[in-house]
């Protein structure tokens, strides 16, 4: 039987790996170039293709909420340059795992239109009706995850997102799919959530679903194992939903 310290270590590593942008090694970033790590992630995350699904335009103001190391922030920044802005948001619980990557990505003003935005989830501190779009990638299930250092008031959190969006603004959700009809049953331990549940909840909060995509669908994923299991890591069945305020 595993010892208590080993159990605790396993729990910590599992939580760390669920954070977007988590990396076991430091990444090198050069101004004017995308990193080798980001290019490698493109294969499974299909970031460029995801951006083609949304109507990003130069000059937009976008938030990458719980954006981890900033993979999407960098892609967005290129699309909305030169006058648009991206707020790369993380909270205190994320920073021990992604802070070095964020710092390296943004060092020496490498991404001139990306603003580091470290705020707690109970006070996102976005100006009302200031955002054209919010990216919330692989994090929706986490508003149903509870840990010693992690608990989000989901109603208040979603309210803040909605308030920050301009009228007609968009909210992009990507997450690991759970079995149909399971709701939030798999959110705590397996870091997954049922697509239909997300749609229903956000509709109840006043959002309108305007687009779905099967770009990241993987029929080989049983949806009943952790996204960090070696057999499925970075290849989970993921849903893509675009909502409008």
């Amino acid at each position: 039987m595993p010892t208590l310290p080993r159990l605790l270590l396993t729990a910590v590593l599992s939580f760390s790996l669920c954070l977007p942008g988590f990396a076991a090694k430091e990444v090198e970033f050069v101004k004017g170039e995308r990193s080798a790590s980001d290019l490698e992630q493109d294969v499974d995350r299909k970031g460029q293709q995801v951006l083609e699904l949304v109507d990003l335009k130069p000059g937009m103001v976008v938030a990458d909420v719980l954006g981890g190391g900033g993979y999407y922030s960098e892609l967005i920044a290129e699309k909305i340059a030169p006058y648009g802005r991206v707020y790369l948001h993380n909270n205190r619980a994320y920073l021990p795992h992604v802070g070095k990557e964020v710092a390296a990505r943004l060092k020496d003003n490498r991404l001139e239109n990306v603003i580091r935005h470290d705020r707690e989830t109970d006070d996102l501190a976005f100006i009302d009706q200031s955002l054209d779009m919010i990216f919330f990638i692989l994090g929706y299930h986490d508003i149903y995850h509870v840990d010693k250092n992690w608990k989000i008031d989901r109603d208040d959190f979603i309210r803040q997102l909605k308030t920050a969006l301009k009228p007609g603004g968009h909210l992009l959700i990507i997450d690991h799919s759970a079995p149909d009809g399971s709701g939030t049953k798999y959110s705590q331990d397996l870091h997954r959530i049922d697509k239909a549940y997300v749609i229903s909840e956000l509709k109840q909060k006043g959002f309108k679903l305007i687009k779905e995509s099967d770009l990241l669908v993987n029929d080989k994923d049983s949806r009943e194992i952790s996204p960090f299991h070696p057999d499925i890591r970075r290849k989970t069945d993921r849903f893509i939903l675009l909502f409008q305020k």
Side-chain angles (χ1 to χ4, degrees), residues 133-169:
M133 187 174 295
I134 294 172
F135 278 59
F136 192 16
I137 311 298
L138 302 181
Y140 201 96
H141 67 267
D142 279 330
I143 68 177
Y144 284 92
H145 180 90
V146 178
D147 185 83
K148 181 177 68 174
N149 298 313
W150 187 272
K151 186 175 182 180
I152 294 176
D153 182 335
R154 59 183 177 274
D155 291 329
D156 178 65
F157 183 76
I158 295 171
R159 178 197 60 78
Q160 290 184 74
L161 298 183
K162 186 178 180 184
T163 300
L165 283 171
K166 297 176 181 178

Side-chain angles (χ1 to χ4, degrees), residues 19-20 30 88 99 111 113 134 188:
L19 304 179
V30 177
L88 172 51
L111 300 176
N113 57 342
I134 294 172
Q188 177 66 26

